[in-house]
Amino acid sequence: MNVNQSAPPVPPFGQPQPVYLGHHQSSYGGQPGPTTAPTSYGAYNGPVPGYQQTPPPGVSRAPPSSGAPPASTAQGPCGQTAYGQFGQGDVQNGPSSTVQMQRLPGYQPFGSAILAPVVSQPAVLQPYGPPPTSAQVTAQLAGMQISGTVAPASPPSGLGYGPPTSLASASGSFPNSGLYGSYPQGQAPPLGQAQGHPGTQPPQRSVPLQASSFTPPASGGPRMPSMTGPPLPGQSFGGPPVSQPNHVSSPAPQALPPGTQMTGPPGPPLPPMHSSQQPGYQLQQNGSFGPTRGPQSNYGSPYPGAATFGSQPGPPQPLPPKRLDPDAIPSPIQVIEDDRNNRGSEPFVTGVRGQVPPLVTTNFLVKDQGNASPRYIRCTSYNIPCTSDMAKQAQVPLAAVIKPLARLPPEEASPYVVDHGESGPLRCNRCKAYMCPFMQFVEGGRRFQCCFCSCINDVPPQYFQHLDHTGKRVDAYDRPELSLGSYEFLATVDYCKNNKFPSPPAFIFMIDVSYNAIRSGLVRLLCEELKSLLDFLPREGGAEESAIRVGFVTYNKVLHFYNVKSSLAQPQMMVVSDVGDMFVPLLDGFLVNVNESQAVITSLLDQIPEMFADTRETETVFAPVIQAGMEALKAAECAGKLFLFHTSLPIAEAPGKLKNRDDRKLINTDKEKTLFQPQTGAYQTLAKECVAQGCCVDLFLFPNQYVDVATLSVVPQLTGGSVYKYACFQVENDQERFLSDLRRDVQKVVGFDAVMRVRTSTGIRAVDFFGAFYMNNTTDVELAGLDGDKTVTVEFKHDDRLNEENGALMQCALLYTSCAGQRRLRIHNLALNCCTQLADLYRNCETDTLINYMAKFAYRGVLSSPVKTVRDTLITQCAQILACYRKNCASPSSAGQLILPECMKLLPVYLNCVLKSDVLQPGAEVTTDDRAYVRQLVTSMDVAETNVFFYPRLLPLTKSPIENTTEPPAVRASEERLSNGDIYLLENGLNLFLWVGASVQQGVVQSLFGVSSFSQITSGLSVLPVLDNLLSKKVQGLIDSLRAQRSRYMKLIVVKQEDKLETLFKHFLVEDKSLSGGASYVDFLCHMHKEIRQLLS
């Protein structure tokens, strides 16, 4: 089948197809993007290739201004800001205001029209239409630069290109920002390439992409505090003020002759304001599209005191600098809402190559017609540069975030299972790729050409089928592997260890019974829960009972194994005190069927809390516990999972003994990276043995102080397991969260003893992998366990030239053992477009996937490089991506404007959130364990999880009518958006806050909290009372719905305005400046603009 053909609709395979109802999808998050060229990264401490030691003439780059002083977060109980409880970096914000979000006239619906293809142009071109009449004027005024952008007139109608997104220059330093300096005195801010009249210069390379455009605000917008002191050199202008048109219908000033330009003295440029963006209109003087409009309420009068060229200078008039209007810069909320409106109603059909899917925040249905669903694979770009040179120039990483066992909504069918009998799945003889819809059948169907390596293979007689007049097999739509993007094969014995089919897996529960675990009530709570939970172990399809066997171990300084054989009246305990040489003291009776041994297991779980009730043993071991579990699985010849419940730093004499090495003085030094590295190599060795046995480890931590998460999480991380952390665990406060996480973890479907390989067509190859797994060689990702929440992120690089006609293909093959012990192969295929124009690359990127990749890249970087270097690398790469767009794709305009590609306009705001996260910029109270915990958590997050983790959702609860039970529209994560008469919910996938304004109506307080006034609400409350009224039911329902969308239970914390806990809540208002020194969104956008201009100058 030709990759370029769109596959016709898929008929049934003798099984009913799913009904495509309006589906409420649980994911939350990001937006589709094209598959881009792989970047070539330099070493963390070296320059990034593409701008290497010898920069191109004229490109000089100051070191990126990074980072900030250490921060402080609110303190949780026992001196820890437990990530389990709270989240990332505090935020200090401006005054509270009641500014409401409004939809800006300038926004084009995001992701609406599929962008038209780039029109390549001859070397010498006339600009479109008549040259515009406006001139480019750069006036210096009040320490700000005003730049009227000029660009060619709009393209001929019918081409359908949106205007570029441009922001007026905003790279100056803002008062009190202290983060980024302004330009040196006496040096004008660098201007970009369009310096003369645009009519004199033909547009280059390609028609402008759709992008968002922003222009300087007129006065009347919000301002920063006045700047006092003498005026800057050249700042005094006198005479009557002359207005500069800005969305105003007064006549434009007289145009200058082509090629002339006027520049005032230097100064920081002016912040941007949103411009109108209606395609089809001539450009106005300020570079924005749209009909000329009269004055608007928001846009006050023209600039006071604008330079009057030609009049006599008067006395100096220092003016307060304007503050960038937050409504004028790209809003994540607006982009998400537009995508939902435009793409949420239609199913996403995967038959067309290189389509960018809807954002992860949009609920949509998927119809598989030959490419894998975006629930399984999302790419940073769906249009890959044809050459490595082009990829290096753009610096857009080419990566895919793959979630091989992703759970699907009920309306979508799970992958079909194909059984080819003893011959097994059909593969290419040379590259071993599996049969897929892109394979081309030739010679009347007797042979097929591999789409990955072009090898011609014979079709086995039992698989032969005739071809129709188009060259397709006549049975193509009866075979999932010839018509679908995702499907499964039953594996033959050749795909099994030691050439024999596997036994069903086992679960071993290993419980810490030291003093801390007993005293906190953890052991009693856990044993009670396990009695009922064991009835819900994962099972295959319609099986009546789970095939999984279970075993139990308790431990402190020594290990206790339990014989729970069904023939015993009481369980038997066996103690192993020689932890240095671990062995399993019993085989028969250790791993049992739950139903058969139910009575003995219940008796054991009743006895454990009583047996150790009076323990005084505080020391624990850790490595020998994992070793014991692995040896037990080895003896039983099966794969499985260990559930470890552990409370303290393992300081008892034993292999894997650790010492307390927590040292905050290392933060912001070159040795900070040691805090993220394991303190001993013993755990890596142990993890390697676990992977070989198919032993996955899930770790539940209950620390009251430092436990060295960086070291303890090594085995879970390398075996494909999970880590859960409940700092200062108290049964009354934390039991709901712990039990919910435990139930979900035990019940979820897991693939055991898995190996994943990603194959690609000629021209690109997988070069780097991120996630929770182990790699013994450069191609095979080994996972002792893999569940439906885990992703593997793969980066690709060019090894040859690609061509536009064939596109690029990738196939992810996962070999695993199911919960019932069946060996299976799950295959996902995806075809991407290839381009020779950078514009096509930038038109098909997905920012959310890009941020997911960049966060993982940075979080791995902190293991080997200083955190400042990692931050600077991210800023540099982002600047290079946007500078390349500005230079090669945007229409010429003043360097005073920041121009962003339409599908990357949220890159700066999201990247700033990554830079401000606790791993890269910790507050003073964020513990080393918190940082290590979050670092390993993000490593295997999917795109929806990183989207909401870095940019939390803030939902106003009292703005919509009480009867309306749908989720309220979110507002931007900034203190300016909070109104003290309202109540808000904030969630980031790990934390859930309910913020209550001080002026909330008494009736609302009564309906929600059951008390009569704001002062009676208990701050820090974690459970809302269940009351019989509409508001209470609505809020409870919303909280339940948010929790159901996330893979971990979010504990609620009620925060009252002006309360001490509010500092913690503000931590998550990521558009504001953070206490740890992280820049506000506005400041960071200015800094990015400065970086881009340095690259272009």
Side-chain angles (χ1 to χ4, degrees):
M1 166 183 169
N2 184 343
V3 185
N4 300 321
Q5 295 172 341
S6 55
V10 183
F13 302 102
Q15 298 171 50
Q17 287 292 334
V19 184
Y20 292 83
L21 307 171
H23 148 58
H24 181 73
Q25 179 202 347
S26 64
S27 23
Y28 177 82
Q31 100 198 32
T35 315
T36 81
T39 68
S40 44
Y41 297 98
Y44 248 127
N45 6 18
V48 177
Y51 290 89
Q52 236 141 351
Q53 279 84 334
T54 52
V59 175
S60 68
R61 200 179 122 49
S65 107
S66 111
S72 81
T73 31
Q75 200 162 334
C78 43
Q80 279 180 303
T81 314
Y83 241 91
Q85 263 154 295
F86 325 122
Q88 77 217 36
D90 300 45
V91 180
Q92 169 190 330
N93 343 91
S96 203
S97 85
T98 52
V99 180
Q100 297 306 317
M101 263 206 63
Q102 57 187 56
R103 186 154 176 158
L104 291 159
Y107 264 108
Q108 286 221 27
F110 181 83
S112 49
I114 302 283
L115 293 165
V118 171
V119 178
S120 40
Q121 301 165 345
V124 180
L125 269 186
Q126 293 306 314
Y128 297 116
T133 53
S134 62
Q136 176 172 330
V137 178
T138 312
Q140 168 64 31
L141 142 76
M144 291 287 187
Q145 173 202 358
I146 305 163
S147 62
T149 333
V150 208
S154 55
S157 58
L159 277 178
Y161 295 106
T165 305
S166 46
L167 279 168
S169 163
S171 45
S173 62
F174 287 84
N176 311 330
S177 103
L179 257 159
Y180 311 114
S182 53
Y183 300 104
Q185 285 300 326
Q187 174 196 326
L191 286 170
Q193 73 278 41
Q195 300 235 338
H197 191 289
T200 61
Q201 188 177 343
Q204 291 177 347
R205 299 211 182 199
S206 63
V207 180
L209 292 184
Q210 182 174 356
S212 332
S213 101
F214 303 81
T215 45
S219 63
R223 303 183 177 200
M224 292 292 266
S226 312
M227 236 182 199
T228 52
L232 298 171
Q235 207 175 355
S236 47
F237 292 110
V242 170
S243 68
Q244 158 154 344
N246 188 41
H247 288 282
V248 183
S249 48
S250 56
Q254 192 179 345
L256 301 168
T260 32
Q261 110 175 16
M262 296 183 70
T263 324
L270 206 92
M273 188 72 175
H274 210 294
S275 78
S276 147
Q277 268 191 39
Q278 304 295 325
Y281 292 111
Q282 286 293 102
L283 266 171
Q284 292 182 18
Q285 166 113 3
N286 60 4
S288 60
F289 283 83
T292 327
R293 308 195 228 173
Q296 297 173 26
S297 55
N298 259 9
Y299 287 70
S301 58
Y303 295 112
T308 55
F309 300 106
S311 65
Q312 295 303 309
Q317 300 175 350
L319 281 174
K322 305 279 187 309
R323 178 170 171 267
L324 220 163
D325 177 6
D327 279 333
I329 55 184
S331 155
I333 305 303
Q334 187 68 53
V335 168
I336 288 167
E337 187 190 324
D338 288 344
D339 192 74
R340 280 181 181 158
N341 294 338
N342 294 322
R343 306 196 65 183
S345 52
E346 293 294 312
F348 177 69
V349 181
T350 70
V352 183
R353 182 177 84 187
Q355 288 185 97
V356 182
L359 300 189
V360 286
T361 39
T362 300
N363 289 331
F364 61 98
L365 272 173
V366 180
K367 285 187 177 174
D368 184 342
Q369 291 192 0
N371 281 295
S373 159
R375 304 195 205 291
Y376 294 123
I377 305 181
R378 276 187 180 264
C379 297
T380 51
S381 168
Y382 288 78
N383 207 329
I384 307 179
C386 281
T387 64
S388 59
D389 289 347
M390 191 173 157
K392 280 178 190 153
Q393 188 183 0
Q395 286 286 322
V396 178
L398 172 54
V401 179
I402 305 174
K403 198 175 180 184
L405 297 179
R407 284 186 307 281
L408 300 180
E411 299 88 346
E412 293 176 21
S414 296
Y416 292 103
V417 180
V418 180
D419 185 358
H420 280 317
E422 287 182 18
S423 59
L426 187 55
R427 306 176 68 175
C428 168
N429 291 330
R430 185 197 289 160
C431 70
K432 301 298 180 205
Y434 293 88
M435 180 53 67
C436 71
F438 311 129
M439 298 289 192
Q440 201 83 40
F441 287 87
V442 294
E443 295 181 27
R446 285 188 295 278
R447 306 178 88 185
F448 70 92
Q449 180 171 19
C450 176
C451 51
F452 294 93
C453 69
S454 304
C455 175
I456 304 279
N457 299 269
D458 290 329
V459 173
Q462 71 273 17
Y463 198 78
F464 173 78
Q465 186 52 269
H466 295 287
L467 308 185
D468 65 14
H469 64 285
T470 64
K472 279 181 89 74
R473 282 172 59 117
V474 296
D475 66 348
Y477 294 112
D478 301 328
R479 290 189 176 272
E481 74 272 23
L482 298 182
S483 54
L484 295 180
S486 302
Y487 42 87
E488 289 198 324
F489 291 119
L490 283 187
T492 58
V493 75
D494 306 335
Y495 291 87
C496 303
K497 256 186 203 162
N498 307 325
N499 275 355
K500 65 179 199 181
F501 285 112
S503 309
F507 283 179
I508 304 177
F509 296 89
M510 316 190 88
I511 305 166
D512 174 350
V513 288
S514 62
Y515 175 73
N516 279 342
I518 296 290
R519 189 197 57 181
S520 67
L522 167 66
V523 174
R524 189 173 295 279
L525 177 71
L526 174 60
C527 289
E528 273 306 309
E529 176 63 26
L530 285 177
K531 288 184 207 170
S532 54
L533 184 56
L534 293 178
D535 293 334
F536 298 98
L537 298 177
R539 62 195 73 185
E540 279 292 288
E544 285 188 17
E545 62 176 63
S546 174
I548 293 173
R549 292 168 297 163
V550 298
F552 301 89
V553 173
T554 55
Y555 68 94
N556 39 45
K557 270 201 326 197
V558 296
L559 276 74
H560 323 105
F561 292 78
Y562 297 93
N563 184 344
V564 282
K565 200 172 178 180
S566 57
S567 56
L568 297 174
Q570 284 294 321
Q572 296 172 346
M573 178 204 270
M574 297 187 182
V575 180
V576 177
S577 51
D578 182 4
V579 290
D581 182 19
M582 184 46 61
F583 67 97
V584 181
L586 75 161
L587 288 178
D588 190 29
F590 179 61
L591 294 179
V592 297
N593 176 294
V594 174
N595 285 359
E596 290 170 9
S597 298
Q598 185 107 42
V600 195
I601 291 172
T602 304
S603 169
L604 170 66
L605 294 171
D606 284 336
Q607 290 177 40
I608 287 175
E610 307 307 327
M611 267 192 287
F612 299 97
D614 301 323
T615 185
R616 285 286 168 264
E617 185 55 74
T618 55
E619 293 189 356
T620 56
V621 295
F622 188 73
V625 184
I626 297 174
Q627 180 85 34
M630 183 196 65
E631 296 291 351
L633 293 177
K634 191 183 281 184
E637 296 185 348
C638 68
K641 185 183 269 199
L642 311 183
F643 295 85
L644 243 82
F645 304 90
H646 189 80
T647 59
S648 58
L649 191 69
I651 55 172
E653 272 314 318
K657 173 186 173 180
L658 301 178
K659 61 180 192 291
N660 187 332
R661 53 162 188 165
D662 192 14
D663 185 359
R664 291 197 60 83
K665 293 198 288 292
L666 298 181
I667 291 177
N668 293 326
T669 69
D670 283 355
K671 288 190 176 169
E672 183 174 6
K673 58 181 180 244
T674 59
L675 297 175
F676 296 109
Q677 297 164 353
Q679 38 173 302
T680 159
Y683 287 96
Q684 271 114 326
T685 311
L686 181 57
K688 188 175 173 180
E689 291 174 31
C690 285
V691 171
Q693 184 48 49
C695 168
C696 174
V697 179
D698 279 0
L699 175 60
F700 292 79
L701 284 171
F702 305 86
N704 290 332
Q705 52 199 20
Y706 177 75
V707 288
D708 199 350
V709 173
T711 305
L712 297 189
S713 65
V714 165
V715 179
Q717 177 80 6
L718 291 177
T719 59
S722 307
V723 179
Y724 298 84
K725 180 164 161 285
Y726 310 88
C728 307
F729 180 81
Q730 294 172 306
V731 170
E732 58 279 11
N733 291 336
D734 302 299
Q735 85 172 48
E736 194 181 353
R737 178 167 154 243
F738 163 55
L739 294 180
S740 174
D741 285 344
L742 176 64
R743 287 168 195 149
R744 199 169 183 282
D745 197 59
V746 168
Q747 293 174 35
K748 64 187 173 190
V749 173
V750 181
F752 293 97
D753 212 359
V755 182
M756 184 181 115
R757 183 176 278 197
V758 178
R759 293 178 174 84
T760 50
S761 53
T762 313
I764 53 168
R765 64 194 165 90
V767 292
D768 207 353
F769 300 84
F770 304 81
F773 53 76
Y774 175 74
M775 290 189 81
N776 211 6
N777 55 39
T778 55
T779 55
D780 294 337
V781 174
E782 296 179 49
L783 303 122
L786 175 67
D787 60 55
D789 299 321
K790 299 277 191 308
T791 64
V792 176
T793 302
V794 185
E795 189 192 352
F796 302 98
K797 289 238 164 75
H798 286 74
D799 56 8
D800 203 348
R801 194 184 167 87
L802 295 163
N803 79 56
E804 284 183 282
E805 189 185 340
N806 295 340
L809 304 174
M810 72 173 84
Q811 182 179 80
C812 162
L814 177 79
L815 174 65
Y816 70 99
T817 301
S818 73
C819 293
Q822 197 176 47
R823 202 71 174 146
R824 291 185 176 179
L825 280 153
R826 179 168 289 202
I827 312 293
H828 298 297
N829 303 289
L830 187 62
L832 302 169
N833 287 329
C834 296
C835 59
T836 52
Q837 297 282 341
L838 283 166
D840 284 331
L841 164 66
Y842 283 102
R843 194 179 280 132
N844 290 282
C845 286
E846 190 185 50
T847 301
D848 296 300
T849 311
L850 205 52
I851 288 294
N852 179 285
Y853 166 83
M854 291 171 106
K856 290 171 181 176
F857 182 72
Y859 280 17
R860 185 175 67 185
V862 298
L863 292 172
S864 53
S865 303
V867 171
K868 183 182 184 306
T869 309
V870 175
R871 291 166 47 82
D872 290 349
T873 303
L874 281 182
I875 292 172
T876 306
Q877 186 177 7
C878 182
Q880 287 175 339
I881 290 171
L882 297 176
C884 175
Y885 172 81
R886 172 69 188 254
K887 184 178 174 188
N888 299 294
C889 307
S891 52
S893 61
S894 148
Q897 279 195 311
L898 171 56
I899 297 183
L900 303 169
E902 177 64 20
C903 67
M904 280 190 194
K905 63 185 177 190
L906 299 181
L907 191 59
V909 61
Y910 286 161
L911 184 73
N912 189 37
C913 297
V914 174
L915 294 169
K916 283 167 31 168
S917 65
D918 285 343
V919 174
L920 298 182
Q921 195 160 35
E925 298 308 320
V926 177
T927 66
T928 306
D929 274 348
D930 285 335
R931 297 177 73 196
Y933 175 62
V934 171
R935 197 195 75 77
Q936 61 81 32
L937 206 56
V938 168
T939 305
S940 48
M941 273 187 183
D942 72 6
V943 179
E945 288 171 322
T946 50
N947 173 280
V948 74
F949 178 74
F950 289 116
Y951 192 95
R953 270 206 292 184
L954 184 60
L955 305 170
L957 299 183
T958 42
K959 295 216 193 299
S960 55
I962 293 185
E963 308 76 52
N964 184 359
T965 53
T966 55
E967 197 174 283
V971 296
R972 294 170 71 161
S974 165
E975 192 177 354
E976 287 189 347
R977 310 289 166 170
L978 300 177
S979 148
N980 57 10
D982 287 318
I983 294 179
Y984 297 81
L985 256 183
L986 182 142
E987 65 118 356
N988 77 339
L990 295 182
N991 310 279
L992 191 58
F993 292 95
L994 187 76
W995 184 88
V996 187
S999 314
V1000 169
Q1001 291 174 2
Q1002 191 180 339
V1004 171
V1005 172
Q1006 183 71 50
S1007 299
L1008 208 50
F1009 300 97
V1011 295
S1012 54
S1013 71
F1014 174 78
S1015 59
Q1016 292 174 296
I1017 299 171
T1018 311
S1019 178
L1021 193 70
S1022 61
V1023 180
L1024 292 179
V1026 178
L1027 303 171
D1028 189 17
N1029 64 67
L1030 281 175
L1031 181 64
S1032 178
K1033 287 176 181 168
K1034 174 181 173 173
V1035 173
Q1036 297 274 9
L1038 180 61
I1039 289 172
D1040 291 344
S1041 138
L1042 293 179
R1043 284 174 173 159
Q1045 293 172 33
R1046 304 286 169 234
S1047 61
R1048 294 180 181 229
Y1049 183 89
M1050 298 184 289
K1051 177 179 165 185
L1052 180 72
I1053 299 174
V1054 173
V1055 177
K1056 293 165 69 175
Q1057 188 175 5
E1058 307 299 336
D1059 186 80
K1060 61 180 186 299
L1061 269 176
E1062 200 183 26
T1063 320
L1064 178 67
F1065 170 76
K1066 287 179 181 176
H1067 203 91
F1068 296 92
L1069 300 176
V1070 289
E1071 289 200 16
D1072 301 330
K1073 193 169 187 287
S1074 72
L1075 287 180
S1076 54
S1080 68
Y1081 176 18
V1082 166
D1083 284 349
F1084 184 70
L1085 202 58
C1086 298
H1087 178 61
M1088 277 319 300
H1089 189 201
K1090 195 170 113 188
E1091 293 283 319
I1092 292 165
R1093 290 172 66 165
Q1094 278 180 325
L1095 289 174
L1096 292 175
S1097 60

